[in-house]
Amino acid sequence: MEVSSVDLGFLEPCEPWLLTNKFFRSKVGGKPAWLELKHLPKPDNLLCGQCNAPLGFLCQVYAPVEANENSFHRTLYVFVCLTAACNQSPEPEAGTIKVLRSQLPRRNEYYEYDPPDETNESPAIKSPVPLCVVCGCRGPKLCSRCKAVNYCSAAHQRLDWKAVHKSVCCSEEGSTVPANATSSIQFPEFEIITEEEEYEPKAKLSEEENAKRQLAELERLKQQGKAGALDELSEAELDQYSSDQVEDKTFDKFKERISADPEQVLRYERGGKPLWLSPKLPQTIPPCGRCAGRRVFEFQIMPQLLNSLNSEQLDWGTLVCYTCEASCDVQGYAEEYIFRQDVLNTDTAKH
């Protein structure tokens, strides 16, 4: 059995207090556990580029870069549009999915130099920036009546008013309402634990075996009445046949690779290669928007995650994230590049 350089991510229940920012864990769902606490993304930076609604927090991946002292702590955050129409047929560059990078040196103004005690419950490190009670993102808007609750947008204020705040606004009970009382837009919260992939590639077929397989395929086509004389087929039909064959082989390779670990929700291999499920790939990977340096593959989110989110609005084949190869310095949060690849015979869209 060969141990690959890929780390696989799996979901596991975890005490919520251990998924807060001071413990530096990867997770899915709930509210984002922000790393850098003063320069949070502005609400306008977390809007869907297609429908203009606030994006929902999907997951975060804690991924330090040992070679960079300014990336001793480093987290990547993925946000997705919660509108079904935006997930079914997003236009290229629609911004329906976004990924943000944040990083800090070991000595910083927020966290202790040494790891915290994980045996005793303790609170998160609080941000000096007000947070939206609904989604946990920057919340510059206040309830105009009680001025005690913050929101990122009018949309989330309306949502909270109907669900919770209307009954407690300007009352003594208002301060006792849990911060996560409005959870209709939050995904179930899990920790992402990782382990090295153990993968044993199948032996390549010999020339004789390849010939037998091709003869078997020809016989199958004859039985279906599709073999005919190939020179009678149009060029477009030949291209389509060739394309279908390539797609099938790519998808078969995808299924074979994940078959040993079907519960994987994440594949992490910084500087490695994604596991594609279709030959429809991004034409170019744009350079880093800050330093103009090259971006490299870092991780991909697998379709299995959809089964754990209890959301009918979301749909993807795999989400493939590319980040700045140098992990250049950033004050706050920098947007990276994420590519959505859909299942076979559907268009892909990049963000």
Side-chain angles (χ1 to χ4, degrees):
M1 183 71 69
E2 173 187 339
V3 177
S4 75
S5 57
V6 179
D7 287 327
L8 302 182
F10 302 91
L11 299 185
E12 187 170 280
C14 183
E15 291 291 337
W17 64 271
L18 282 169
L19 297 179
T20 57
N21 54 5
K22 68 189 292 183
F23 294 103
F24 311 111
R25 297 193 178 190
S26 300
K27 69 162 191 150
V28 165
K31 296 178 180 179
W34 298 112
L35 180 65
E36 202 281 341
L37 298 176
K38 286 184 178 178
H39 304 90
L40 300 184
K42 295 179 180 179
D44 286 351
N45 297 136
L46 290 175
L47 296 178
C48 173
Q50 186 158 290
C51 71
N52 214 38
L55 297 174
F57 171 67
L58 178 65
C59 67
Q60 62 189 71
V61 179
Y62 182 67
V65 178
E66 295 180 359
N68 186 341
E69 62 179 15
N70 290 327
S71 299
F72 183 87
H73 295 300
R74 180 173 175 273
T75 304
L76 299 160
Y77 300 81
V78 179
F79 294 83
V80 296
C81 184
L82 305 178
T83 304
C86 291
N87 287 287
Q88 291 171 358
S89 57
E91 296 296 327
E93 308 296 348
T96 61
I97 307 171
K98 293 183 180 180
V99 58
L100 305 179
R101 168 173 59 92
S102 183
Q103 60 196 48
L104 293 169
R106 186 171 185 178
R107 292 194 183 278
N108 59 78
E109 60 181 301
Y110 307 114
Y111 307 102
E112 298 291 339
Y113 185 81
D114 294 317
D117 179 9
E118 296 190 1
T119 61
N120 295 310
E121 183 172 350
S122 58
I125 306 299
K126 189 175 181 180
S127 170
V129 177
L131 302 179
C132 175
V133 71
V134 175
C135 67
C137 297
R138 180 190 283 266
K141 297 180 181 295
L142 274 171
C143 172
S144 58
R145 292 182 63 190
C146 68
K147 301 190 185 304
V149 183
N150 289 80
Y151 301 99
C152 67
S153 61
H156 283 185
Q157 184 173 5
R158 288 192 297 270
L159 185 65
D160 189 46
W161 180 259
K162 293 178 181 179
V164 177
H165 195 59
K166 182 178 180 180
S167 62
V168 298
C169 186
C170 295
S171 71
E172 293 181 359
E173 298 176 0
S175 60
T176 64
V177 175
N180 63 349
T182 306
S183 58
S184 62
I185 66 164
Q186 293 177 31
F187 298 119
E189 191 173 42
F190 297 94
E191 182 180 7
I192 301 175
I193 60 168
T194 58
E195 58 184 56
E196 285 186 300
E197 180 186 42
E198 295 183 350
Y199 173 66
E200 186 172 0
K202 291 183 177 179
K204 292 184 178 180
L205 296 176
S206 66
E207 289 186 9
E208 181 180 352
E209 289 171 324
N210 249 328
K212 288 181 179 179
R213 174 170 289 190
Q214 289 173 0
L215 286 172
E217 172 67 9
L218 180 60
E219 184 62 32
R220 183 184 69 82
L221 291 174
K222 285 181 178 179
Q223 292 175 0
Q224 295 178 356
K226 297 179 180 179
L230 290 181
D231 56 4
E232 294 177 3
L233 295 178
S234 69
E235 185 174 341
E237 289 174 314
L238 285 171
D239 287 345
Q240 181 61 45
Y241 178 76
S242 175
S243 175
D244 289 344
Q245 291 288 90
V246 172
E247 283 198 345
D248 289 344
K249 288 180 180 179
T250 305
F251 190 54
D252 287 345
K253 181 180 178 181
F254 180 90
K255 290 192 298 180
E256 188 272 327
R257 184 69 181 257
I258 68 173
S259 61
D261 300 286
E263 298 302 310
Q264 60 185 275
V265 300
L266 182 84
R267 296 179 65 85
Y268 185 93
E269 188 186 17
R270 181 168 164 81
K273 295 181 179 179
L275 180 61
W276 299 111
L277 53 74
S278 162
K280 299 173 184 176
L281 309 182
Q283 294 183 352
T284 59
I285 306 300
C288 174
R290 298 183 61 83
C291 71
R294 188 170 77 107
R295 281 193 172 113
V296 296
F297 168 69
E298 182 144 356
F299 68 85
Q300 68 187 103
I301 298 170
M302 304 297 283
Q304 176 61 27
L305 180 58
L306 292 167
N307 295 334
S308 303
L309 296 181
N310 300 326
S311 174
E312 297 179 357
Q313 287 77 24
L314 298 183
D315 185 30
W316 64 70
T318 183
L319 305 179
V320 185
C321 178
Y322 294 83
T323 60
C324 175
E325 183 176 32
S327 198
C328 63
D329 292 348
V330 55
Q331 184 181 51
Y333 294 80
E335 186 171 350
E336 295 287 8
Y337 178 81
I338 193 162
F339 178 85
R340 167 182 161 172
Q341 188 181 59
D342 290 326
V343 294
L344 290 175
N345 300 320
T346 61
D347 293 331
T348 55
K350 50 188 178 179
H351 303 262

